[in-house]
Amino acid sequence: MRFGLVGTGHWARVAHAPALAATEDVTFTGVWGRDPARTAALADEFGVRAYGSFDELLADADAVEFSVPPDVQAEYATAAATAGKHLLLEKPIALDAAGGRALTDAAAASGVASVVFFTQLFRPEVRDWLASRRAAASEHPWEGGTALTLGSVQREHGVFSTPWRLERDGGLWDLGPHALSILLNVLEPVETVAAHEDPLGTVHLVLGHRGGASSTVTVSQNVPAAAGLSYARVWGGAGHAVLPEQPTPVVDALSTAIAELTAAARPGAPAHPHGLEFGARVLDVLVRAQDQLG
């Protein structure tokens, strides 16, 4: 399958482009970005074509991989889906409900396959843990969970201090999807959302799940670097279960996502469990939380 990459920033260079170059049975055709100089530099580094326009990239691709801000992704991915191109997306899939709805509608109308790269969900150690948690739930349903993810992008600054993370609540929109991707794969779908943000920029969510379970999410991109931390756990009749360490490199996880998109794009293949439908469920929680935070 021929893949084109949209995006030329740090994450495109250290994760997306290397994963495309390393994945078997994939042809990395080239890259397009809004900055021609950065497009040329990234294309030269990986020995692929630097496209002069998005339409030129679409003409050469069967699938498009995105590494751009969520609102930009939603616009261009909607156009790609309308053109019949399969989609490998970053999380969150959009920055508002309208953008997410337009994207999911376009993909459904065209029948294209999609995968959203929730990093943890493509690491084998996390997949094994989630599978065992779901198996345990058949005998002892999980009654609650918590996820905490703390980063320092908005305080310390660095390669991930990009405008959309600084202008938006980076804790909720950048880190929130990581936490939600775990809880939504163990507990039942979210029915209610309550949100609070403290003066230091930490966001707290209380989620009510179908069936009566509840969970909490705590996220921030404004803590000191020494306070950075990420963990998740669920509890119920089987006791407590803590998310394990995740040694699988990001590029390997992303290569898995690329390979699984190619499989999902085959005629008659089922939709990927972490495609746009799952991405839309995560976006719905983020939007409802943002509405409360104002």
Side-chain angles (χ1 to χ4, degrees):
M1 180 177 286
R2 301 172 301 162
F3 274 75
L5 173 61
V6 173
T8 61
H10 173 76
W11 195 236
R13 185 175 61 80
V14 303
H16 285 274
L20 282 170
T23 305
E24 294 183 2
D25 300 322
V26 161
T27 300
F28 182 12
T29 63
V31 60
W32 174 78
R34 293 169 292 173
D35 183 325
R38 292 174 65 173
T39 299
L42 183 59
D44 183 65
E45 181 177 349
F46 287 89
V48 297
R49 178 177 172 183
Y51 287 99
S53 72
F54 179 64
D55 289 339
E56 290 177 4
L57 180 143
L58 286 185
D60 276 356
D62 305 304
V64 182
E65 187 161 338
F66 292 87
S67 183
V68 290
D71 53 337
V72 178
Q73 171 177 264
E75 176 187 354
Y76 284 102
T78 298
T82 301
K85 310 301 178 181
H86 305 294
L87 306 172
L88 200 150
L89 303 159
E90 274 290 348
K91 52 76 192 164
I93 61 171
L95 281 182
D96 56 42
R101 188 162 49 249
L103 174 52
T104 55
D105 287 350
S110 294
V112 298
S114 62
V115 168
V116 183
F117 184 54
F118 292 93
T119 312
Q120 294 163 303
L121 302 185
F122 293 89
R123 287 179 160 134
E125 54 273 18
V126 174
R127 287 184 165 185
D128 290 345
W129 184 83
L130 289 171
S132 65
R133 301 291 76 76
R134 288 191 289 264
S138 62
E139 185 174 353
H140 298 288
W142 299 106
E143 298 181 13
T146 188
L148 179 148
T149 305
L150 303 176
S152 57
V153 159
Q154 291 175 313
R155 179 181 291 208
E156 306 290 343
H157 300 292
V159 294
F160 290 109
S161 296
T162 52
W164 81 268
R165 288 183 175 92
L166 298 178
E167 294 164 4
R168 276 272 173 162
D169 189 313
L172 177 63
W173 286 91
D174 184 29
L175 300 182
H178 288 293
L180 292 168
S181 71
I182 299 300
L183 295 176
L184 270 59
N185 268 282
V186 180
L187 303 174
E188 294 293 318
V190 172
E191 292 185 334
T192 63
V193 178
H196 167 74
E197 183 173 12
D198 68 26
L200 298 179
T202 302
V203 173
H204 306 271
L205 307 182
V206 179
L207 310 178
H209 298 262
R210 188 175 64 198
S214 64
S215 65
T216 61
V217 173
T218 298
V219 288
S220 177
Q221 278 284 30
N222 196 43
V223 303
L229 180 66
S230 180
Y231 77 82
R233 69 166 62 214
V234 291
W235 59 83
H240 286 257
V242 179
L243 188 70
E245 294 293 322
Q246 302 155 40
T248 299
V250 166
V251 171
D252 291 352
L254 188 45
S255 183
T256 296
I258 294 167
E260 291 181 359
L261 177 62
T262 66
R266 295 183 185 125
H272 195 280
H274 302 127
L276 272 170
E277 181 179 352
F278 182 75
R281 288 173 55 198
V282 171
L283 177 63
D284 176 64
V285 176
L286 298 174
V287 169
R288 285 197 275 171
Q290 187 66 66
D291 286 346
Q292 293 192 28
L293 297 175

